[in-house]
Amino acid sequence: VTQWRQGVASSLHSTGDRLTVSHGHGRLCGEREVEVSGERHRAETIILNVGARPSIPALPGLSTVPFLDNERLMELRELPRHLVILGGGYIGCEFGQMFRRFGAEVTIVDHNDHLLSREDPDVSTALEGVFRAEGIQLALGDAAASVEAESAGLVLRTTKGRELRGSHLLVAVGRRPNTDDLGCAAAGVTLDSRGFIQVDDGYATSAPGIYAVGDVTGGPQFTHTSWDDHRLLFERLLPGERRPGSRSRSARLVPYAVFTDPQVAGVGLSEREARQKGRPFEVATMPFGDIARAVELDETAGMMKILVDPHSEQLLGCRIVGAEAGELIHIFVSLMAAGASTHTIVDTEFVHPTFAEGVQQLVMKLPRYTLS
């Protein structure tokens, strides 16, 4: 973390006199005007990239317990004896497995029936099986009711009457935008009901000359999405015409990966989303252990699933739970970005033995492509 921070700081300070870096609490104070530590700055273009921070739930007793968030957890100098995690999303899953492998007892509590609740149940179940095999306790479908400090740590009580005792509590139930004291009203910047800045397809806010990018816009909260925001906005702000084929904020593909072991990665529609939208699809699934390379490296945990349009043969979505899923998903991302048929993968010669050839195996599970 320090290495990356120092790298960014070095880049900013080496740009010369055309860039001024001001440290302090910045807030909008008028039309195209920002105040930082008592100094005011005006510009024709202002870009807001203030991010988000952990949400703190209204849980009785939470204010009396020295709970952790994703930042404070990284600052611990001693291993928790028993880490109780409130929330089974990305942060809860990644940190839960990390600290379990460090040697801590870990319990994850989530009111949803599955970890990574936005995923299809078969995807979540594949990861849950790995977690349980590693000794991670899962209290799913059960919401936290209260928390109380004890001499040996804390006790978390749930709505189903469980009492979960631990030494540390990680709260990982979502993120909230850093707009509380940003002065948006003074500049005419409109927020939605959750406090996120409303932007159009070109990142423009309701105030002329003011744009917003990153987590504060309420879109997918991934580092790579924020980077993509920068690329799209940079192009729009350049003088001259936009290049042919330029993407819009709403039309882009947003892949993702959860860096557990095995990793969970996806792009496009899930099976649940496709059904909700009424999209016809053909589906193929395959155990990750069917890949020869996975057997050879003893990385057989997980599964793969694709959804294909039955008429155009274009990929609608993909989910991978398995080793290097975050790398493998880019095969499907590129296919979707190019608007290519999944038959492209069938016709491609893959190197053996690799994880990537499993992508072809998966596609050929569809009846239209099978050789048998």
Side-chain angles (χ1 to χ4, degrees):
V1 173
T2 300
Q3 175 184 343
W4 295 125
R5 285 178 175 171
Q6 290 175 344
V8 171
S10 176
S11 297
L12 291 175
H13 288 291
S14 65
T15 55
D17 296 336
R18 297 184 64 189
L19 175 65
T20 300
V21 179
S22 298
H23 295 278
H25 188 151
R27 59 176 58 82
L28 298 163
C29 56
E31 183 178 343
R32 306 188 197 211
E33 191 169 12
V34 177
E35 179 183 349
V36 184
S37 301
E39 296 183 356
R40 293 200 171 194
H41 306 268
R42 289 189 57 84
E44 287 301 307
T45 301
I46 293 176
I47 300 172
L48 305 174
N49 185 19
V50 297
R53 65 187 187 279
S55 294
I56 307 303
L59 179 64
L62 187 60
S63 61
T64 67
V65 175
F67 66 90
L68 303 165
D69 57 27
N70 63 295
E71 294 183 10
R72 292 198 290 268
L73 185 66
M74 294 285 283
E75 296 170 353
L76 291 179
R77 290 294 180 264
E78 295 181 357
L79 182 69
R81 175 180 52 81
H82 187 166
L83 178 64
V84 177
I85 300 175
L86 189 56
Y90 288 41
I91 291 174
C93 287
E94 291 177 351
F95 276 116
Q97 188 179 46
M98 178 196 302
F99 275 82
R100 177 59 187 153
R101 291 185 174 187
F102 286 163
E105 294 293 319
V106 174
T107 300
I108 301 177
V109 182
D110 197 295
H111 68 278
N112 295 293
D113 292 333
H114 290 284
L115 299 176
L116 305 177
S117 59
R118 294 184 180 180
E119 297 291 350
D120 291 331
D122 53 353
V123 174
S124 298
T125 299
L127 184 65
E128 290 163 8
V130 173
F131 275 22
R132 289 190 173 102
E134 293 189 10
I136 298 174
Q137 302 299 312
L138 302 180
L140 303 176
D142 198 0
S146 66
V147 63
E148 180 182 348
E150 290 188 333
S151 57
L154 57 94
V155 55
L156 180 73
R157 296 182 174 87
T158 73
T159 54
K160 291 186 177 180
R162 299 183 188 179
E163 290 192 351
L164 305 173
R165 286 177 164 78
S167 60
H168 294 72
L169 176 66
L170 168 63
V171 176
V173 295
R175 311 277 291 175
R176 58 179 296 185
N178 291 322
T179 55
D180 309 69
D181 193 18
L182 189 57
C184 290
V189 174
T190 302
L191 306 178
D192 67 13
S193 60
R194 299 178 298 160
F196 289 98
I197 296 175
Q198 293 185 333
V199 296
D200 65 12
D201 232 15
Y203 301 95
T205 71
S206 55
I210 300 182
Y211 301 83
V213 294
D215 293 357
V216 76
T217 64
Q221 295 184 352
F222 304 125
T223 303
H224 54 273
T225 303
S226 295
W227 169 248
D228 203 47
D229 286 349
H230 149 254
R231 293 198 303 160
L232 294 177
L233 181 58
F234 184 80
E235 182 178 275
R236 287 174 180 272
L237 295 180
L238 280 177
E241 297 183 359
R242 297 176 63 204
R243 63 178 174 82
S246 294
R247 298 170 301 132
S248 64
R249 176 175 180 262
S250 62
R252 64 182 171 178
L253 287 168
V254 181
Y256 61 88
V258 187
F259 290 98
T260 48
D261 180 16
Q263 296 171 11
V264 181
V267 66
L269 296 177
S270 67
E271 188 171 349
R272 177 192 302 167
E273 291 168 339
R275 294 188 189 281
Q276 290 173 345
K277 294 177 180 291
R279 289 292 302 271
F281 63 87
E282 295 176 358
V283 61
T285 61
M286 186 183 84
F288 200 81
D290 282 1
I291 304 172
R293 188 65 170 171
V295 175
E296 292 166 355
L297 296 181
D298 195 23
E299 295 281 2
T300 57
M303 53 85 71
M304 306 171 76
K305 176 163 66 172
I306 57 166
L307 276 66
V308 175
D309 186 291
H311 305 296
S312 67
E313 297 186 56
Q314 290 187 332
L315 184 71
L316 298 177
C318 175
R319 298 296 183 271
I320 303 175
V321 183
E324 301 300 340
E327 304 292 339
L328 294 174
I329 197 65
H330 290 93
I331 297 174
F332 293 107
V333 174
S334 298
L335 190 76
M336 294 179 72
S341 165
T342 48
H343 206 287
T344 303
I345 290 180
V346 177
D347 291 340
T348 300
E349 182 175 337
F350 284 79
V351 173
H352 173 82
T354 62
F355 286 127
E357 69 177 335
V359 166
Q360 187 181 62
Q361 289 176 249
L362 173 64
V363 172
M364 294 184 69
K365 292 287 185 182
L366 291 166
R368 67 172 64 230
Y369 299 136
T370 185
L371 297 178
S372 58

